[in-house]
């Protein structure tokens, strides 16, 4: 019979001890579906040299016109790789993609963006889940297919002394955008940009199909680093982050489907991966879930490892997180956050064989994020979450947390093969139903009384 070792149990609902049953077949079928349907971008055979279009790699000369010309030429020829060779390329404004274009950065190539907001025109985008017009993302594509960023070079947002400082002044515009969302103000009239302080994204592909981002290093982003907005058939592979400015999320799939995120080295000033699907009224109106997402073989470092929400009003489902590790600081390993404003659902989430070092909370689900919600009328349905193989060395706050709502309990959750070396709270479950637990060692293996010494005790 399996043994369960827990320190503190706070349960409103009921907990059952059971095995995984037939959940593995669902997991394997989902995994195969994602792997067989995701191809990423078709890479063109033709190669263009950015220097042939007038680019000067001195880190001073404005190369925006050269990039625009090279991308236009690539598109007119039916597709091409724009190769960016060694050197630093300063760009006063955005790189705007066209279909069938790959930008490849050689290992010693750097794209250095202007930090001046006046260099970025207003385009259609989304900001924290609300659709509006704002400063263009530094690399932007909308309504495209077969677009890619590849190579070992560096994309430098250069935002440390300008955009990064806007966070302290953004509240008025942030709340205005949310009011427009809730009032269902026509999207065409939600115009920000000059005179406002909503920071642009570094990379955003919006309503695109067959996207690849592979190998590059990302630093100094003005806001979220890679925003995959309402797009599908996406591969993010081998990207390296050293992006520690404010709100530097690593990768944000947002209302996107069939996404593979693999072999990424994260080191971010915010969430490593944050899965979203729109905020409140915009999310309900579009009803575009994020789904069929495989996250594997990643190395986490930053605020949180994998987050779902809180902007998830279109729903999130069919997500696999497997064979990932973490080093350095990571506040929460797996974090599902929603509240009484969000509505929709989070379901069919699989976590398998993920290992963390020192965290505050290892696994955390809450329906009361940020204490938001008017009248508790739109709690999300959070269900069918299955964890098989999750560990950390220490959890300075709690190991496993489930916080449902009285009107919408967190349900159908299973834990197996959980290993937590030391923690303060082992389990805190509130408003849950049908939670099953298998092999769980929280606060270390129990052993016999004579085997336990002071050094084996969990935090006091």
């Amino acid at each position: 019979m399996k043994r369960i070792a827990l320190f503190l149990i706070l349960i409103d609902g009921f907990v059952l001890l059971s095995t995984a049953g037939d959940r593995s077949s669902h997991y394997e079928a989902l995994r195969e579906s994602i792997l067989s349907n995701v191809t990423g971008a078709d890479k063109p055979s033709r190669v263009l040299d950015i220097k042939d279009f007038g680019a000067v790699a001195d880190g001073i000369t404005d190369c925006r016109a050269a990039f625009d010309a090279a991308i236009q030429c690539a598109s007119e020829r039916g597709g091409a790789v724009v190769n960016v060779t060694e050197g630093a390329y300063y760009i006063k404004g955005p790189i705007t993609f066209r279909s069938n274009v790959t930008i490849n950065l050689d290992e010693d190539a750097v794209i250095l963006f202007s930090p001046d907001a006046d260099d970025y025109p207003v385009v259609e985008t989304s900001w924290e889940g609300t659709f509006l017009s704002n400063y263009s993302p530094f690399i932007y594509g909308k309504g495209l297919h077969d677009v890619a960023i590849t190579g070992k070079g560096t994309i430098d947002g250069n935002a440390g002394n300008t955009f990064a400082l806007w966070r302290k002044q953004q509240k008025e515009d942030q709340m205005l955008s949310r009011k427009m969302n809730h009032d269902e103000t026509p999207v065409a009239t939600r115009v920000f940009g000059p005179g406002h302080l909503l920071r642009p994204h570094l990379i955003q592909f919006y309503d695109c199909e067959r996207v690849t981002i592979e190998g590059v290093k990302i630093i100094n982003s003005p806001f979220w680093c890679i925003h995959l907005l309402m797009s599908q058939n996406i591969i993010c592979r081998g990207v390296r982050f050293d992006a520690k400015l404010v709100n530097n999320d690593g990768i944000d799939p947002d209302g996107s489907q069939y996404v593979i995120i693999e072999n990424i080295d994260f080191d971010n000033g915010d969430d490593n991966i944050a899965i979203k699907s729109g905020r409140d009224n915009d999310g309900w109106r579009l009803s575009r879930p994020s789904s069929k997402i495989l996250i594997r073989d990643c190395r986490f470092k930053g605020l949180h490892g994998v987050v779902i929400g809180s902007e998830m009003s279109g729903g999130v489902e069919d997500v696999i997180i497997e064979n990932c590790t973490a080093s350095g600081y990571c506040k929460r390993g797996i974090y599902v956050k929603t509240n009484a404003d969000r509505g929709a659902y989070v379901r069919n989430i699989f976590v398998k064989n993920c290992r963390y070092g020192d965290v505050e909370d290892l696994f955390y689900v809450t329906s009361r994020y940020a204490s938001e919600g008017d009248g508790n009328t739109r709690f999300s349905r959070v269900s069918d979450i299955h964890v098989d193989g999750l560990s950390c060395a220490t959890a300075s706050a709690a190991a496993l947390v489930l916080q449902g709502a009285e009107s919408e309990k967190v349900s159908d959750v299973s834990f197996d093969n959980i290993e937590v070396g030391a923690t303060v709270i082992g389990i805190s479950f509130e408003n849950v139903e049908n939670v099953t637990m298998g092999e769980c060692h929280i606060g270390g293996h129990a052993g016999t009384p004579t085997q336990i010494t002071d050094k084996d005790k969990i935090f006091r």
Side-chain angles (χ1 to χ4, degrees):
M1 187 170 179
K2 293 187 174 182
R3 179 178 60 188
I4 181 168
L6 308 174
F7 180 57
L8 179 61
I9 303 177
L10 303 176
I11 302 173
D12 180 6
F14 57 90
V15 178
L16 306 175
L17 304 183
S18 76
T19 60
D22 62 356
R23 288 186 292 267
S24 61
S25 61
H26 187 176
Y27 161 80
E28 293 295 344
L30 173 60
R31 191 175 187 276
E32 178 57 30
S33 173
I34 297 169
L35 291 172
S36 61
N37 282 283
V38 177
T39 62
D42 289 340
K43 187 174 181 180
S45 58
R46 182 182 289 110
V47 178
L48 307 175
D49 190 327
I50 190 64
K51 290 182 178 176
D52 290 341
F53 295 85
V56 179
D58 61 3
I60 300 172
T61 304
D62 179 17
C63 297
R64 182 180 177 187
F67 276 84
D68 287 346
I71 289 170
Q72 180 177 345
C73 179
S75 178
E76 290 173 350
R77 294 186 182 185
V81 176
V82 177
N83 196 49
V84 182
T85 54
E86 178 181 357
Y89 298 81
Y90 185 64
I91 303 179
K92 287 177 64 61
I95 293 174
T96 302
F97 261 82
R98 297 190 183 195
S99 295
N100 299 308
V101 173
T102 294
I103 293 179
N104 182 76
L105 304 179
D106 286 351
E107 187 168 4
D108 294 320
V110 178
I111 291 177
L112 179 67
F113 283 100
S114 164
D116 188 347
D118 291 339
D119 291 332
Y120 298 90
V122 170
V123 300
E124 295 176 343
T125 183
S126 169
W127 204 88
E128 287 190 344
T130 295
F131 287 83
L132 45 74
S133 294
N134 191 38
Y135 294 108
S136 174
F138 291 6
I139 297 176
Y140 178 70
K142 183 175 187 293
L144 307 178
H145 62 85
D146 296 293
V147 289
I149 303 168
T150 63
K152 295 293 186 182
T154 299
I155 299 171
D156 186 347
N158 193 27
N161 294 320
T162 52
F163 294 105
L165 306 179
W166 287 14
R167 166 68 181 272
K168 295 179 180 179
Q169 307 170 68
Q170 75 180 20
K171 192 68 175 181
E172 182 178 350
D173 289 318
Q174 180 188 51
M175 299 313 294
L176 175 59
S177 75
R178 295 181 184 181
K179 183 177 187 301
M180 290 176 166
N181 183 329
H182 295 154
D183 292 346
E184 298 186 355
T185 303
V187 174
T189 66
R190 304 177 190 178
V191 181
F192 289 78
H196 299 275
L197 294 167
L198 300 184
R199 292 158 289 157
H201 306 78
L202 181 65
I203 299 170
Q204 183 185 86
F205 288 111
Y206 177 4
D207 189 25
C208 293
E209 183 173 3
R210 296 191 297 277
V211 176
T212 297
I213 302 174
E214 182 171 9
V216 292
K217 183 176 182 179
I218 291 174
I219 62 176
N220 300 320
S221 176
F223 187 49
W224 297 351
C225 296
I226 298 175
H227 187 204
L228 306 170
L229 178 61
M230 298 185 72
S231 296
Q232 60 182 339
N233 194 346
I234 302 164
I235 294 175
C236 292
R237 176 188 294 134
V239 179
R240 297 156 293 143
F241 289 94
D242 186 9
K244 301 187 183 71
L245 299 183
V246 64
N247 296 131
N248 275 193
D249 285 10
I251 301 173
D252 289 34
D254 191 349
S256 291
Q257 302 82 40
Y258 285 105
V259 181
I260 295 177
I261 299 171
E262 62 183 358
N263 193 29
I264 308 289
D265 286 293
F266 291 98
D267 191 356
N268 295 78
D270 211 315
D271 302 335
N272 290 178
I273 299 171
I275 303 172
K276 304 173 181 292
S277 63
R279 173 183 289 272
D280 303 346
N281 297 59
D282 279 4
W284 308 327
R285 171 174 56 86
L286 294 169
S287 191
R288 180 76 176 263
S290 278
S291 65
K292 305 295 192 299
I293 298 173
L294 171 60
I295 300 164
R296 63 178 180 178
D297 302 317
C298 292
R299 292 162 291 280
F300 300 130
K301 186 178 181 182
L303 182 61
H304 304 123
V306 179
V307 176
I308 296 174
S310 69
E311 307 95 331
M312 41 61 64
S313 298
V316 176
E317 63 185 348
D318 297 334
V319 177
I320 294 174
I321 307 160
E322 65 178 21
N323 301 325
C324 294
T325 60
S327 63
Y329 177 74
C330 193
K331 183 175 182 179
R332 289 186 173 133
I334 309 292
Y335 187 18
V336 179
K337 54 182 181 178
T338 178
N339 57 46
D341 279 343
R342 295 293 96 91
Y345 54 83
V346 176
R347 63 192 181 204
N348 297 335
I349 313 297
F350 296 87
V351 180
K352 192 173 184 66
N353 298 331
C354 292
R355 295 179 290 109
Y356 290 81
D358 298 325
V359 299
E360 291 185 28
D361 304 291
L362 179 59
F363 186 92
Y364 201 111
V365 174
T366 181
S367 296
R368 302 194 297 273
Y369 175 68
S371 300
E372 295 179 0
D374 52 355
N376 296 342
T377 58
R378 285 192 179 268
F379 278 111
S380 305
R381 175 67 173 162
V382 181
S383 65
D384 296 287
I385 300 176
H386 306 294
V387 183
D388 183 4
L390 181 63
S391 68
C392 68
T394 64
S396 61
L400 307 177
V401 178
L402 301 176
Q403 293 179 345
E406 288 186 13
S407 59
E408 194 65 79
K409 292 178 168 54
V410 173
S411 67
D412 300 296
V413 181
S414 67
F415 296 102
D416 201 5
N417 296 307
I418 308 299
E419 295 280 348
V420 179
T423 190
V424 175
I425 297 175
I427 289 179
S428 178
F429 292 172
E430 303 171 61
N431 296 313
V432 302
E433 59 185 9
N434 196 22
V435 179
T436 68
M437 303 195 71
E439 196 86 27
C440 297
H441 302 283
I442 298 176
H445 291 249
T448 64
T450 58
Q451 292 173 319
I452 298 176
T453 65
D454 287 341
K455 69 178 181 179
D456 296 314
K457 294 179 181 178
I458 60 178
F459 295 127
R460 296 298 184 186

